[in-house]
Amino acid sequence: MPIPEDVTGEEIDKDVRQELQSLPKTLADDVAKNLVMVARLIDEDPEGAYGYSKVALRLASRVAAVREAAGFAAYANQKYSEALAEFRAARRMTGSAELWPVMADCERGLGRPEKALDMAGAPEVHKLDKAGQVEMRLVAAGARRDMGQLDAAIVTLQSPELASNSVQPWTARLRYAYADALLAAGREGEAREWFAKAVEADRDGSTDASDRLAELDGVDFVDALDETGEESEEAAAEQEKAEQDKAEQDKADGDED
């Protein structure tokens, strides 16, 4: 697959670059460029990212970072079985529990929420950093919802991280998930409060909390814009007709003179 000229391979994380040092330099550079393309495209063009991940995988399947990138690319394309296999391979190579939450979410994607819950209670969770533990909590709550256990999902999300006033990278998503679960349980007033709190924490627009809050408040931005657009078109048409009538009247007056 073509690599844009502005991609050098130097853009990748230094730890990944270090992993690639086990490869011949030319090969390492090629793999690095493909990994850069995976990272660049995975949000906006997951299919493209998946294509580049397959190239990297073909070139260096024994590099953990490559298996991890391939896993995330497959995950972004909802190829959960493939993603899970790649994450497991990466975990075997590194011995790290870092991928445990996303592996559990793959189990959810494969229709096995019970397995995801088992993983949420496994010893590996204690090896995760705070961000990983919050992510595991989100996956567990999602699994509860998959099983129709709304109240249990709400309880799962209740945690010191949710109650904290400090804003961390995971805060907006955690508050959003809690608000969404409350709303699904029919607790609209509490849901509105937590969507508002999610908006406060969502500094990079990672959720649509503001839209959900507007819906609860009965604000319909699309309709308002449509009505404004229609009114503007009507006003423009009236103005154009008035100008035409004036021009015709001026012409008639001129002819009379």
Side-chain angles (χ1 to χ4, degrees):
M1 297 180 69
I3 303 289
E5 292 183 2
D6 65 319
V7 174
T8 65
E10 295 296 330
E11 301 90 341
I12 62 173
D13 185 85
K14 64 179 182 179
D15 292 335
V16 177
R17 169 62 69 177
Q18 188 171 359
E19 276 193 67
L20 296 179
Q21 287 180 354
S22 62
L23 303 173
K25 186 177 186 314
T26 301
L27 180 58
D29 289 342
D30 287 343
V31 173
K33 290 176 182 178
N34 279 281
L35 292 180
V36 170
M37 294 304 298
V38 173
R40 178 180 289 189
L41 298 176
I42 197 163
D43 291 327
E44 297 181 0
D45 180 12
E47 288 187 11
Y50 180 75
Y52 283 104
S53 75
K54 299 301 282 186
V55 174
L57 195 58
R58 188 171 67 248
L59 295 174
S61 62
R62 295 185 180 182
V63 175
V66 171
R67 303 304 289 266
E68 182 176 331
F72 278 110
Y75 179 82
N77 284 275
Q78 299 183 5
K79 299 178 183 291
Y80 298 117
S81 181
E82 184 177 338
L84 185 56
E86 297 300 342
F87 290 142
R88 283 173 173 166
R91 183 169 178 269
R92 283 196 300 270
M93 293 175 179
T94 64
S96 171
E98 182 181 358
L99 295 170
W100 198 250
V102 71
M103 290 169 63
D105 206 39
C106 286
E107 296 288 0
R108 284 186 61 210
L110 290 168
R112 301 194 291 248
E114 298 89 349
K115 178 62 176 175
L117 286 177
D118 287 344
M119 293 179 69
E124 284 81 357
V125 176
H126 300 294
K127 301 175 184 178
L128 298 170
D129 60 14
K130 181 61 68 176
Q133 291 177 3
V134 170
E135 194 64 35
M136 192 72 249
R137 188 177 292 276
L138 288 167
V139 172
R144 290 291 185 188
R145 292 190 63 172
D146 294 342
M147 299 167 67
Q149 301 173 2
L150 271 176
D151 290 341
I154 290 169
V155 171
T156 298
L157 292 168
Q158 292 170 346
S159 61
E161 294 80 20
L162 180 68
S164 175
N165 290 323
S166 69
V167 175
Q168 302 295 334
W170 61 78
T171 303
R173 292 178 58 239
L174 183 58
R175 292 178 180 179
Y176 181 96
Y178 188 59
D180 192 50
L182 288 169
L183 187 60
R187 295 160 62 174
E188 187 171 313
E190 294 172 86
R192 190 204 175 283
E193 176 188 350
W194 282 96
F195 275 126
K197 290 182 178 182
V199 171
E200 291 175 2
D202 195 359
R203 295 168 180 171
D204 58 359
S206 61
T207 74
D208 64 347
S210 59
D211 293 339
R212 300 293 299 278
L213 185 60
E215 287 177 14
L216 287 175
D217 288 341
V219 177
D220 193 334
F221 294 111
V222 174
D223 288 346
L225 288 172
D226 287 347
E227 289 171 7
T228 301
E230 288 174 2
E231 290 172 1
S232 298
E233 289 177 4
E234 290 174 4
E238 290 176 3
Q239 178 66 24
E240 183 178 355
K241 186 177 185 303
E243 291 175 356
Q244 289 176 349
D245 290 343
K246 184 177 185 303
E248 290 175 2
Q249 184 62 49
D250 291 344
K251 184 176 183 301
D253 292 342
D255 290 344
E256 289 177 4
D257 293 341

